Amino acid sequence: MGKSGVPNNDEFYMKIALRLAKKGLGFVNPNPPVGAVIVKDGNIIGRGYHTRFGALHAEREALLDAKKKGVDVSGATMYVTLEPCDHYGKTSPCTNAIIESGIKRVVIAARDPNPVSGDGIKKLLKNGIEVKVGVLEDEAKEVAKFFFKYVTTGLPYVTLKYASTLDGKIADKIGSSKWITQELRKEVHKLRSIHKAVLVGAETVLKDNPILNVRLPKMKFKNPDVVVLDENGRVLKKVIADIDKFELFNPNYDRRVIIFSSNQCQNIEFPEYVKVKTPENLSVENILKELAKEGIDSLLIEGGASVFSQFLPYADEVYGFYATKVFGKGKSIFEHLEIPVEESEIPFEIQNLKISKNMKELMVVMRRCSQGLFSTYVKDTSMVRG
């Protein structure tokens, strides 16, 4: 036991660092969320996390916290959820700050997969600092899963979310799809708050006029960027006619709106926060690559049926929200997929279940359990149909 009665345990302190790291979710993208804790004589003397993109890294925040308290960190141990960087970016290397501080031991959860970050572990060791790697590594990678996918593949982490009736309908026969679930809608807003962007098709924009912002009372959050798939230019034509009618384009939400379209829309001026992209190839994979170039490390797919069908092969996670309602006739979730019965089992495993307090709604979280794309599920992936 330390002086405060806290067990001197690497996993114990790393769990605290991981809790701190989660505070940065949704604010630091496409950087990783990172937390750091400094411990001396069994007491936590400094805490920090990466608060937003471009701000101080977690290690420097923790050192600054200790300095503000007037505590000497020399000889202390730092717990950090990701390998400290050793390069000059928006901030100078965290390795330099650690070495200069006099910290003698650094415990790291996961190595940084980004080659740009340099070899922080090697530099710390070279300067006589004891380093331990791999404490709660899986948990750290889970917190930073968007970053790990983005850096290692050059593509965003893709989460597909739908709300469905018990008979698998996401809209009724006239196309109305609002408010299938109500009690669990907070979970949807949590998803939006941590993803860099949310994507919908033209049909959803024109029929539902969605806001796609985050509504979480008493919580800090950042609205995600919005991506619209508008192959035939239907949304662009409507927006040009009357942009104020569309909630997506409200400048008060402080976000970008990126529209993918085959229409060139030359000589048309849009607000600076609206970007129209007209690549020659509107395949799903090409769209994901284009979004990665825009710094979008995580993408939440919110509809509708055509979009769900096209992005399912590229999804890393699927959130299914079910309500005790029945439409009978209407749009099915993946009605545009043509799958042979014998091949219909998708490569996902159920990770979590949550039932609403009124026992009328269910959230099912599924995670991909195999690598690669199951592109054979979609006959024509050459063009996105928004």
Side-chain angles (χ1 to χ4, degrees):
M1 291 281 185
K3 291 180 181 179
S4 62
V6 176
N8 188 11
N9 182 286
D10 288 344
E11 289 193 1
F12 175 86
Y13 295 116
M14 189 61 77
K15 285 179 181 177
I16 296 173
L18 286 168
R19 287 200 293 271
L20 287 169
K22 290 177 182 178
K23 291 185 176 183
L25 287 170
F27 296 95
V28 300
N29 315 58
N31 282 351
V34 180
V37 173
I38 302 173
V39 178
K40 187 173 184 179
D41 298 326
N43 294 300
I44 295 176
I45 59 174
R47 303 171 190 248
Y49 69 96
H50 190 25
T51 58
R52 58 180 174 80
F53 181 76
L56 291 178
H57 289 183
E59 299 92 326
R60 289 183 177 275
E61 285 282 4
L63 289 168
L64 184 61
D65 182 43
K67 183 178 180 180
K68 287 178 179 178
K69 294 173 181 175
V71 182
D72 180 14
V73 302
S74 59
T77 296
M78 175 179 282
Y79 294 84
V80 61
T81 58
L82 191 69
E83 179 181 2
C85 68
D86 188 37
H87 80 293
Y88 286 87
K90 288 186 176 293
T91 59
S92 55
C94 290
T95 50
N96 290 357
I98 294 170
I99 293 165
E100 292 166 6
S101 72
I103 281 175
K104 289 303 178 185
R105 182 172 181 255
V106 177
V107 180
I108 300 166
R111 292 177 180 270
D112 190 336
N114 190 354
V116 175
S117 296
D119 195 336
I121 293 173
K122 183 177 180 180
K123 185 170 182 177
L124 293 176
L125 290 169
K126 187 177 179 180
N127 282 271
I129 295 175
E130 180 187 345
V131 177
K132 182 177 180 180
V133 184
V135 176
L136 300 184
E137 180 178 5
D138 289 343
E139 290 87 338
K141 287 182 176 179
E142 174 64 22
V143 172
K145 61 187 177 184
F146 297 165
F147 173 75
F148 275 82
K149 166 79 182 291
Y150 181 66
V151 167
T152 58
T153 69
L155 297 172
Y157 191 97
V158 178
T159 304
L160 194 150
K161 164 261 159 186
Y162 62 83
S164 167
T165 59
L166 286 182
D167 54 343
K169 300 296 189 293
I170 59 172
D172 62 20
K173 60 184 178 181
I174 63 171
S176 178
S177 60
K178 287 190 175 183
W179 317 123
I180 288 178
T181 57
Q182 296 182 40
E183 279 209 18
L184 290 178
R185 286 191 64 79
K186 184 178 180 181
E187 300 297 329
V188 177
H189 289 283
K190 287 179 181 178
L191 284 173
R192 288 179 186 170
S193 72
I194 65 173
H195 283 76
K196 180 63 175 174
V198 56
L199 180 148
V200 294
E203 192 72 15
T204 297
V205 175
L206 296 175
K207 280 198 174 285
D208 295 344
N209 191 17
I211 302 174
L212 299 177
N213 66 343
V214 179
R215 297 184 289 280
L216 291 170
K218 300 180 182 180
M219 289 182 64
K220 288 178 62 179
F221 59 81
K222 186 177 183 298
N223 287 316
D225 294 337
V226 174
V227 181
V228 179
L229 302 185
D230 186 34
E231 184 200 351
N232 297 317
R234 292 186 296 157
V235 171
L236 287 177
K237 291 173 185 176
K238 293 282 187 180
V239 169
I240 293 166
D242 197 349
I243 192 171
D244 293 334
K245 284 187 177 180
F246 290 88
E247 293 285 356
L248 290 185
F249 299 95
N250 187 330
N252 295 326
Y253 296 133
D254 190 26
R255 63 189 181 189
R256 293 181 298 172
V257 178
I258 302 173
I259 303 174
F260 283 89
S261 178
S262 56
N263 287 20
Q264 294 297 322
C265 294
Q266 295 178 355
N267 302 320
I268 298 172
E269 290 189 12
F270 290 97
E272 60 180 11
Y273 59 88
V274 178
K275 188 168 189 176
V276 179
K277 299 178 78 72
T278 57
E280 292 183 7
N281 184 355
L282 276 175
S283 68
V284 173
E285 189 166 358
N286 195 49
I287 285 172
L288 292 176
K289 288 178 180 178
E290 288 291 320
L291 290 175
K293 292 176 185 177
E294 295 288 338
I296 292 176
D297 66 341
S298 49
L299 185 64
L300 179 62
I301 310 296
E302 287 209 36
S306 176
V307 174
F308 289 154
S309 298
Q310 293 171 83
F311 278 85
L312 178 62
Y314 298 84
D316 297 287
E317 276 187 290
V318 176
Y319 278 69
F321 293 83
Y322 293 89
T324 53
K325 299 179 181 180
V326 176
F327 284 173
K329 294 181 180 179
K331 280 188 173 292
S332 298
I333 305 165
F334 302 109
E335 64 180 29
H336 293 277
L337 279 172
E338 296 182 25
I339 309 172
V341 174
E342 66 275 11
E343 298 176 10
S344 64
E345 183 176 333
I346 62 173
F348 287 82
E349 292 178 340
I350 294 174
Q351 298 287 312
N352 189 24
L353 295 171
K354 184 172 183 177
I355 302 173
S356 65
K357 291 180 180 178
N358 67 0
M359 305 298 287
K360 290 180 177 290
E361 297 175 10
L362 171 69
M363 180 182 76
V364 183
V365 183
M366 293 160 275
R367 178 76 61 86
R368 181 179 291 277
C369 58
S370 63
Q371 299 299 315
L373 307 177
F374 47 111
S375 56
T376 54
Y377 276 44
V378 184
K379 280 194 171 183
D380 180 14
T381 58
S382 60
M383 295 288 283
V384 163
R385 296 174 294 281

